[in-house]
Amino acid sequence: MISLQKNAVNFVKFALQCKALCFGSFETKSGRNSPYFFNIGCFDSGYSINKLSRFYTNALVNSGIAFDMIFGPAYKGIPLVISTSINYSLMLGKDIPFSFNRKEMKTHGEGGLLIGSPLKGRVVIIDDVITSGISAMESISIIKKTGAEPVAMLIALDRMECSVDRCISSRKSAVQEVAETYGIPVISIASLNDIFSNVMNDINLSKYRERISEYREVYGIL
Ligand SMILES: O=P(O)(O)OC[C@H]1O[C@H](OP(=O)(O)OP(=O)(O)O)[C@H](O)[C@@H]1O
Ligand SMILES: O=C(O)c1cc(=O)[nH]c(=O)[nH]1
């Protein structure tokens, strides 16, 4: 089994290669001006989504969490659960059911909000990032309504920054808040620390060091 650290390092390298990890000036969902951005939509080919899902699978296996199926919140969670379940079955020889939701209820044909294997047992939610925790809350609510049990959340990148309005009072990251609020572990393939190490060690990225350090000072949770 590949170590979590190696998985994180290789993931950051691959994200840079696919330009899914960019440096510059980006507005986040919370309205902050971030010196870096992670865009999972850049893993946009068979090769890259397959490789991405190997990082997810490694992180999931490494976590040791016992689960029965995976759930991907629309839209970006959809290719993530499909590719991860394929990779999981190839790497571990175990068939993992998956499910995902629609953003709007379908009122004709088979109808409904959920697609895929019926939600049951212990469910791991797979997504790209957590910003305010709204998507996590919605996924947990969907899963609980069916009687299934959300047991963990797996994301690609933990930005390790405080959530929008509770920043000053709680000094907890959005990821920590989700974990504490719902009592489930939140696992990430990599974190801002891994990105920061890369920026510190790569001479080509040296021009971004100061801005990232400043951003961390203001919003970061160490
Ligand atoms: O913690 P949050 O504040 O909910 O932010 C994180 C969520 O936001 C994005 O999805 P979005 O809801 O924008 O939908 P998309 O997958 O269709 O882009 C992202 O894929 C996460 O699911
Ligand atoms: O906070 C966000 O909106 C956000 C940050 C990030 O790095 N990637 C992303 O998809 N959203």
Side-chain angles (χ1 to χ4, degrees), residues 140-206:
I140 287 166
S141 160
I142 290 169
I143 293 165
K144 282 189 170 166
K145 263 188 208 151
T146 66
E149 182 196 2
V151 289
M153 185 148 180
L154 170 61
I155 56 172
L157 178 68
D158 179 357
R159 291 181 54 99
M160 299 179 74
E161 63 187 79
C162 51
S163 58
V164 197
D165 40 5
R166 281 157 284 184
C167 176
I168 291 139
S169 57
S170 75
R171 294 306 296 184
K172 277 182 190 150
S173 72
V175 162
Q176 288 167 336
E177 284 190 351
V178 166
E180 283 179 22
T181 307
Y182 305 105
I184 56 169
V186 179
I187 313 146
S188 66
I189 301 173
S191 72
L192 175 58
N193 283 343
D194 301 301
I195 293 177
F196 198 67
S197 310
N198 221 286
V199 170
M200 293 311 279
N201 294 328
D202 187 339
I203 191 75
N204 298 313
L205 301 176
S206 59

Side-chain angles (χ1 to χ4, degrees), residues 27-30 34 36-40 76 128-131 157 159 161:
E27 187 177 338
T28 65
K29 202 163 166 177
S30 57
S34 171
Y36 76 98
F37 197 82
F38 175 68
N39 179 4
I40 206 149
K76 292 203 282 293
D128 55 347
V129 291
I130 294 176
T131 304
L157 178 68
R159 291 181 54 99
E161 63 187 79

Side-chain angles (χ1 to χ4, degrees), residues 18-86:
C18 293
K19 304 208 172 0
L21 183 57
C22 294
F23 299 95
S25 183
F26 305 90
E27 187 177 338
T28 65
K29 202 163 166 177
S30 57
R32 290 176 193 160
N33 186 334
S34 171
Y36 76 98
F37 197 82
F38 175 68
N39 179 4
I40 206 149
C42 292
F43 299 99
D44 57 2
S45 67
Y47 170 79
S48 60
I49 193 88
N50 176 39
K51 191 155 173 175
L52 171 67
S53 68
R54 262 187 264 154
F55 294 116
Y56 273 100
T57 305
N58 285 333
L60 187 54
V61 173
N62 234 305
S63 74
I65 285 160
F67 67 99
D68 299 303
M69 64 180 293
I70 53 180
F71 174 78
Y75 292 98
K76 292 203 282 293
I78 299 173
L80 298 180
V81 276
I82 296 173
S83 55
T84 301
S85 74
I86 294 172

